[in-house]
């Protein structure tokens, strides 16, 4: 069973930055794609960014140029550096491990508690 523990959220003013961390266990981290999701109040959870085992990154359009996903295989940790934050980035952020099923990636870990990010003046 893959377990995930997120941290690093908080309250930040518009234009500010935060760095989220996620430690994974129960999988061979180095060969696993990792993903960051977010869920805002009243909305469905959405994929924000994915990083492949080889380090290739993909982002949802709304965060391109502002967020950067990275990984440290030695620490079983994936990061999300968030810059130029906007109020619409306010959400609970979750990470998960992604498994490719031939068509798309599907999260297969147990969802953690997430970390709250609030962007407000």
């Amino acid at each position: 069973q893959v377990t995930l523990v997120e941290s690093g959220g908080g309250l930040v003013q518009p234009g500010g930055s935060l760095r989220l961390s996620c430690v994974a266990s129960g999988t061979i981290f180095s060969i696993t794609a990792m993903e960051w999701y977010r869920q805002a109040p009243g909305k469905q959870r959405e994929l924000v960014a994915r990083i492949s085992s080889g380090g290739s990154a993909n982002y949802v359009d709304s965060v391109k140029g502002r967020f950067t996903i990275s990984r440290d295989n030695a620490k079983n940790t994936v990061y999300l550096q968030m810059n130029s934050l906007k109020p619409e980035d306010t959400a609970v952020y979750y990470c998960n491990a992604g498994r490719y099923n031939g068509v798309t990636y599907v999260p297969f870990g147990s969802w953690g508690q997430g970390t709250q990010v609030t962007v407000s003046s």
Side-chain angles (χ1 to χ4, degrees), residues 21-117:
S21 300
C22 169
V23 179
S25 60
T27 185
I28 305 174
F29 185 83
S30 62
I31 62 171
T32 303
M34 295 298 297
E35 303 171 319
W36 281 99
Y37 293 79
R38 65 186 178 187
Q39 187 167 20
K43 295 187 177 181
Q44 289 188 333
R45 189 173 295 174
E46 68 167 346
L47 177 67
V48 175
R50 176 188 299 119
I51 186 166
S52 71
S53 58
S56 297
N58 297 95
Y59 303 90
V60 66
D61 285 347
S62 59
V63 308
K64 284 180 180 177
R66 300 188 298 121
F67 290 12
T68 302
I69 189 171
S70 62
R71 62 191 299 156
D72 185 338
N73 290 341
K75 296 181 179 179
N76 282 13
T77 301
V78 61
Y79 304 98
L80 187 68
Q81 177 67 44
M82 305 186 296
N83 299 327
S84 302
L85 282 161
K86 304 176 181 180
E88 51 264 43
D89 295 318
T90 295
V92 179
Y93 283 71
Y94 303 87
C95 69
N96 213 320
R99 177 178 290 135
Y100 190 65
N101 65 4
V103 176
T104 187
Y105 284 88
V106 177
F108 68 93
S110 298
W111 293 101
Q113 81 288 352
T115 186
Q116 175 71 49
V117 172

